[in-house]
Amino acid sequence: MSEVTFEELFRRYMSGALSAGEIRLFRSMALRPENKAKLSQLLQEAFDDPEYAEHADFDAGEMAEEIMMKAKQSEVIPVLHPARKPIVARSWFKYAAAAAIFLLLLAVSWEWNTRKRKNPVAPVAQTEQGTARPVLILGDGTRIALDSAANGAIAQQGSAQVIKLANGQLAYKQFSQENTGLVYNTMQTPNGCLYQLILPDGSHVWLNAASSIRYPAAFPDNKRMVEVSGEAYFDIAKDDKKPFIVTAKGMEVQVLGTAFNIMAYADEDAVKTTLVQGAVKVNAGRVLHPGEQAVLGVSGELVINKPAMEEILGWKNGEFNFKETNISTIMRQVSRWYDVEVKYEGDMSGIELSGIVARTATISQLLKALELTKIVRFKIQGRTITVMPYHEAN
């Protein structure tokens, strides 16, 4: 990698051919003063392509400055490209470059984007991320909307106070050692919302969109047990005397102190537990090691594999991260995040995409970028998105 040129990295970046390490190298090289003009020139060459004349009103120099500013902040510069092989290599690069440039623009600044574009794409009504709200359900069924709750103690559950922290997280503080019995709380995140929770033992939980976790306000002396639906990332406080157990859609994960991700959405055909660090035992049998994933399918068979960790943890890091991902899997994630219904027309089999897209993008931005690959096209009717092969839609 020491002899590779910035221009070569740029072209390979646009076509999605860089590894994670090479992407970091590309970003660091983009920050060098001598590459500022080069970056502007490369962007301008892509914008000059007649096939993408709709982007001609962008100033490549300004965009290059914005990209470098984002690189300094270590933000994701997203790329999107079709995973299947192109028929013509040159036309493939043009499609990939157009999609990548479009998404680079989105990551820079939506405000700047709408100011500079002549014909900005209107977002689907009320489908930008972050519009839905998380809810805490207390033991007696009381529902607390956490976005409108004031910071500080918001409820008392058994021997614990429920506290909303200044950073928006939820935590539990024991004020008595008296055994008041188990009182269960449930945290729910609807479509388009993430939330962080600190459990009574100090374990941290990140909940993905359309997910929930049920847990006691104070754990008993012998074990810590919670139930999850949807997707959650755990960073478990170590306690050798009190094993931590997560149940989700037929899978049971036992841990002492570790970090792992579990995905158990009702509309997915498998439950997946992916270990980041430490060790877990799945269904009282197989022990996972860091980087391994246990997959429990509808047949009940447990399969162990090694997935791309950056793809599994993309949601927690604020991005969609696809690696040769089937379009239906992509659109299920889109549906949860933007709270839309997805339908399909035509033969969608074999359509796979790879890339990284910031979750701060609006749905219209994301769909437009997908269309620039000339692999898929979308029809928007209210809150319903119809997906179809690109050429069948023309």
Side-chain angles (χ1 to χ4, degrees):
M1 288 303 301
S2 59
E3 298 180 357
V4 69
T5 66
F6 180 67
E7 292 87 342
E8 176 62 20
L9 282 174
F10 176 86
R11 293 187 181 90
R12 292 176 58 201
Y13 182 77
M14 289 302 186
S15 61
L18 295 184
S19 66
E22 290 170 332
I23 289 175
R24 288 192 293 270
L25 175 61
F26 168 72
R27 292 174 181 169
S28 66
M29 291 180 70
L31 295 175
R32 297 176 185 175
E34 66 270 20
N35 286 331
K36 178 179 178 181
K38 289 181 182 179
L39 181 58
S40 298
Q41 179 183 353
L42 292 169
L43 290 168
Q44 190 60 58
E45 288 175 358
F47 286 139
D48 286 342
D49 190 323
E51 191 166 357
Y52 305 108
E54 63 178 296
H55 302 293
D57 56 321
F58 291 118
D59 185 289
E62 290 185 29
M63 182 176 173
E65 290 181 0
E66 294 283 355
I67 291 172
M68 288 187 287
M69 179 188 71
K70 292 297 181 182
K72 290 178 182 178
Q73 298 172 352
S74 300
E75 294 193 6
V76 172
I77 301 177
V79 178
L80 184 65
H81 63 280
R84 57 186 182 182
K85 292 184 178 180
I87 297 175
V88 182
R90 175 57 183 168
S91 62
W92 151 233
F93 172 75
K94 288 163 62 178
Y95 297 156
I101 290 168
F102 184 81
L103 283 177
L104 282 167
L105 178 66
L106 303 186
V108 170
S109 167
W110 172 237
E111 180 180 357
W112 182 77
N113 183 348
T114 54
R115 184 174 70 247
K116 297 289 287 184
R117 288 196 63 170
K118 295 175 180 177
N119 298 299
V121 180
V124 180
Q126 300 300 316
T127 55
E128 295 187 13
Q129 78 292 344
T131 55
R133 304 298 181 229
V135 173
L136 174 67
I137 305 175
L138 302 180
D140 62 359
T142 300
R143 300 172 68 90
I144 299 177
L146 293 173
D147 65 310
S148 57
N151 294 337
I154 60 175
Q156 179 176 323
Q157 294 290 278
S159 60
Q161 277 189 324
V162 187
I163 301 172
K164 182 181 177 183
L165 304 178
N167 59 8
Q169 298 178 7
L170 202 67
Y172 286 74
K173 181 179 180 180
Q174 301 297 128
F175 63 85
S176 172
Q177 297 301 316
E178 181 182 355
N179 185 358
T180 58
L182 293 181
V183 179
Y184 283 89
N185 287 183
T186 301
M187 168 69 69
Q188 291 182 344
T189 53
N191 289 340
C193 179
L194 307 180
Y195 205 82
Q196 291 188 44
L197 166 70
I198 303 175
L199 294 173
D201 66 335
S203 296
H204 287 245
V205 182
W206 288 256
L207 276 186
N208 200 351
S211 302
S212 69
I213 179 171
R214 183 175 182 267
Y215 54 92
F219 287 114
D221 294 333
N222 59 337
K223 63 182 177 181
R224 301 168 287 172
M225 180 174 284
V226 303
E227 181 180 354
V228 168
S229 67
E231 187 166 21
Y233 178 91
F234 289 86
D235 190 351
I236 303 302
K238 187 174 180 61
D239 187 340
D240 295 337
K241 298 180 180 179
K242 204 182 284 190
F244 196 101
I245 301 172
V246 181
T247 61
K249 203 177 158 187
M251 181 178 283
E252 181 177 283
V253 181
Q254 300 180 35
V255 304
L256 290 176
T258 189
F260 63 97
N261 190 84
I262 186 165
M263 190 274 288
Y265 284 109
D267 59 354
E268 299 286 349
D269 58 6
V271 184
K272 300 178 180 180
T273 293
T274 309
L275 184 62
V276 177
Q277 63 184 33
V280 300
K281 183 182 292 185
V282 180
N283 285 5
R286 177 63 186 267
V287 175
L288 294 186
H289 301 286
E292 290 185 336
Q293 179 185 78
V295 180
L296 181 65
V298 292
S299 66
E301 181 182 4
L302 190 68
V303 177
I304 308 300
N305 58 36
K306 290 190 175 183
M309 297 299 288
E310 63 272 16
E311 180 179 7
I312 301 299
L313 302 178
W315 70 271
K316 181 177 174 288
N317 297 327
E319 61 193 36
F320 294 101
N321 194 309
F322 308 127
K323 186 176 178 61
E324 298 183 7
T325 305
N326 185 272
I327 186 64
S328 60
T329 301
I330 291 174
M331 294 310 296
R332 283 196 295 273
Q333 294 186 37
V334 170
S335 176
R336 295 179 198 123
W337 188 238
Y338 295 102
D339 192 20
V340 294
E341 180 182 359
V342 177
K343 296 182 178 180
Y344 299 90
E345 289 183 2
D347 181 12
M348 305 299 295
S349 61
I351 294 181
E352 297 180 338
L353 300 175
S354 297
I356 304 171
V357 181
R359 284 195 172 203
T360 51
T362 66
I363 190 171
S364 293
Q365 296 169 345
L366 174 60
L367 298 184
K368 178 63 175 178
L370 284 165
E371 286 190 341
L372 284 172
T373 65
K374 297 190 182 279
I375 296 293
V376 291
R377 186 174 285 269
F378 303 92
K379 180 171 60 179
I380 301 173
Q381 294 178 310
R383 302 186 68 84
T384 300
I385 298 172
T386 302
V387 190
M388 63 202 83
Y390 186 88
H391 295 293
E392 292 183 18
N394 291 308

